[in-house]
């Protein structure tokens, strides 16, 4: 089964409770939707990309720091929820330890958006107003260049969009930001 966006959000809220983890999954989900729209995917594919992002870290609260188990436990959760094997494999591709080949646009997108979400969230949280709607491309790019900002975020992973998706960094960040700004508020 490929759930619709509403069902995916329900599943996310069932398994993920901590606000930073919810924020991360939401940024990745809406970011993936933005990339799917930019790449002119049809409505069904846009839903698939959104759901992939929303559910990609469903096991983050128990196994996010244990990369050998991260996504393996998520796979069990998603199988028990009746989620399709293809969606599960796409999700698993973002965990390098599992060696699931990133051989499609959706897998490359998930890889890059997952990293970009860290920059976006850190940037928004440092703003006095915490308003993601005021995030701009130039501000995010400035933070990307600042190696001391969100130091654990791989800039190479984000910039992989250029080679793997044939998108400029500006188009990539703008596509993600557009959907995030329209759909998410941070507390």
């Amino acid at each position: 089964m490929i759930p619709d966006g509403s069902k995916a959000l329900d599943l996310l809220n069932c398994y993920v409770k901590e606000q930073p983890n919810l924020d991360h999954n939401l940024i990745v989900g809406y970011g993936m939707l933005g990339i799917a729209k930019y790449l002119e995917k049809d409505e069904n594919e846009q839903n698939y990309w959104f759901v992939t992002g929303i559910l990609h870290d469903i096991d983050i609260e128990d196994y996010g720091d244990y990369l050998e188990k991260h996504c393996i436990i998520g796979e069990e959760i998603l199988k028990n929820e009746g989620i399709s094997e293809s969606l599960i494999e796409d999700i698993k591709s973002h965990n390098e330890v599992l060696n699931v080949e990133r051989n499609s646009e959706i897998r490359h997108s998930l890889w890059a958006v997952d990293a970009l979400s860290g920059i976006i969230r850190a940037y928004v949280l440092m703003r006095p107003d915490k308003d993601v709607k005021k995030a701009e491309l130039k501000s995010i790019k400035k933070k990307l260049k600042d190696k001391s900002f969100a130091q654990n975020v791989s800039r190479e992973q984000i910039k992989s969009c250029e080679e793997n998706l044939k998108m400029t960094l500006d188009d990539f960040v703008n596509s993600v930001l557009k959907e995030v700004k329209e759909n998410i508020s941070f507390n």
Side-chain angles (χ1 to χ4, degrees):
M1 163 189 71
I2 307 297
D4 65 16
S6 177
K7 173 69 174 162
L9 289 166
D10 288 345
L11 283 173
L12 175 66
N13 286 305
C14 184
Y15 290 95
V16 179
K17 303 296 182 194
E18 296 175 19
Q19 195 62 50
N21 297 328
L22 286 167
D23 290 346
H24 170 69
N25 280 284
L26 290 170
I27 292 168
V28 175
Y30 285 106
M32 291 290 288
L33 178 59
I35 301 302
K37 287 180 177 180
Y38 177 88
L39 296 173
E40 300 178 339
K41 302 297 181 186
D42 68 33
E43 197 172 309
N44 285 336
E45 286 181 285
Q46 288 179 26
N47 178 71
Y48 185 92
W49 284 50
F50 174 71
V51 167
T52 301
I54 290 294
L55 299 178
H56 86 285
D57 273 353
I58 200 153
D59 62 355
I60 194 169
E61 292 184 353
D62 295 321
Y63 298 100
D65 292 333
Y66 303 98
L67 292 179
E68 299 78 23
K69 292 187 177 184
H70 176 50
C71 294
I72 299 300
I73 301 304
E75 177 178 25
E76 291 175 22
I77 291 168
L78 295 172
K79 278 183 178 178
N80 288 339
E81 294 290 345
I83 302 300
S84 85
E85 188 63 39
S86 63
L87 194 146
I88 293 169
E89 285 301 303
D90 287 337
I91 287 172
K92 287 169 49 181
S93 73
H94 86 276
N95 182 350
E96 274 192 305
V97 172
L98 301 179
N99 292 317
V100 175
E101 187 178 3
R102 281 189 294 279
N103 56 2
S104 64
E105 285 180 325
I106 191 168
R107 292 179 181 191
H108 289 300
S109 295
L110 182 59
W111 173 247
V113 173
D114 192 32
L116 180 59
S117 71
I119 297 288
I120 292 171
R121 186 168 188 280
Y123 169 75
V124 169
L125 292 177
M126 67 163 260
R127 291 181 55 88
D129 59 13
K130 311 277 188 273
D131 188 354
V132 71
K133 291 173 183 16
K134 294 181 181 171
E136 298 295 332
L137 172 65
K138 67 179 181 167
S139 303
I140 299 299
K141 284 184 68 175
K142 185 176 179 183
K143 294 304 180 187
L144 277 168
K145 290 178 184 171
D146 179 356
K147 302 292 185 212
S148 65
F149 182 80
Q151 319 177 36
N152 294 333
V153 175
S154 168
R155 273 57 176 179
E156 292 74 34
Q157 192 171 331
I158 296 167
K159 290 177 183 172
S160 71
C161 68
E162 296 172 324
E163 181 179 340
N164 297 323
L165 299 171
K166 308 301 183 229
M167 292 178 74
T168 66
L169 184 61
D170 286 8
D171 286 344
F172 181 75
V173 173
N174 270 333
S175 297
V176 170
L177 270 181
K178 181 181 185 304
E179 288 300 320
V180 168
K181 288 164 72 168
E182 288 178 10
N183 292 288
I184 302 174
S185 296
F186 292 101
N187 300 331

